[in-house]
Amino acid sequence: QLAESGGDSVPAGGSLRLTCAASGSKYALWTMHWVRQVPGEEVEWVSTIYSDGKKQYRADVKGRFTISREKDTLYLQMDALRPEDTAMYYCTNGNWKGFRPTAGRGTQVTVSS
């Protein structure tokens, strides 16, 4: 079970920290991803953290976003936000390309110019 929170409306240049609460005894072994979606567009990969701590980011957020994990929680620290970061953000494990948003999931990030 995964549940996202922390989204808000902020001006460009602002910061947010997204949280993903995870339950499951093997969470620490999961590869975890943050993905995002704008209405009418495909789900877009944002960042990944592997069980060994290795991290990856899409090019346009590298240096601005930081993924981390602690106990049963996944985080995404988002700094220097841009209007193009506006989207619904989701956390997921496994193959992110198979992720399909469902009702009640996600946290909305809105960045105004």
Side-chain angles (χ1 to χ4, degrees):
Q1 297 283 348
L2 301 172
E4 304 87 351
S5 63
D8 205 345
S9 295
V10 296
S15 296
L16 287 172
R17 188 174 80 157
L18 305 186
T19 297
C20 171
S23 60
S25 61
K26 296 182 179 179
Y27 166 69
L29 302 178
W30 297 352
T31 294
M32 294 296 299
H33 316 278
W34 285 100
V35 298
R36 64 189 182 188
Q37 188 179 37
V38 174
E41 298 185 9
E42 295 294 317
V43 172
E44 185 174 81
W45 172 75
V46 177
S47 182
T48 296
I49 186 166
Y50 296 91
S51 57
D52 64 0
K54 180 181 177 182
K55 304 174 184 180
Q56 292 180 321
Y57 302 92
R58 58 180 295 113
D60 58 355
V61 308
K62 196 169 185 179
R64 301 189 296 120
F65 291 10
T66 304
I67 191 171
S68 63
R69 65 198 303 168
E70 183 177 319
K71 295 181 180 179
D72 294 335
T73 307
L74 178 72
Y75 301 100
L76 186 67
Q77 178 67 41
M78 310 166 69
D79 298 316
L81 282 161
R82 304 169 180 170
E84 53 264 39
D85 295 319
T86 295
M88 185 74 84
Y89 284 72
Y90 304 87
C91 59
T92 187
N93 62 312
N95 181 4
W96 71 266
K97 293 182 181 179
F99 176 77
R100 296 293 179 268
T102 57
R105 285 287 312 276
T107 188
Q108 177 68 40
V109 172
T110 303
V111 185
S112 58
S113 56

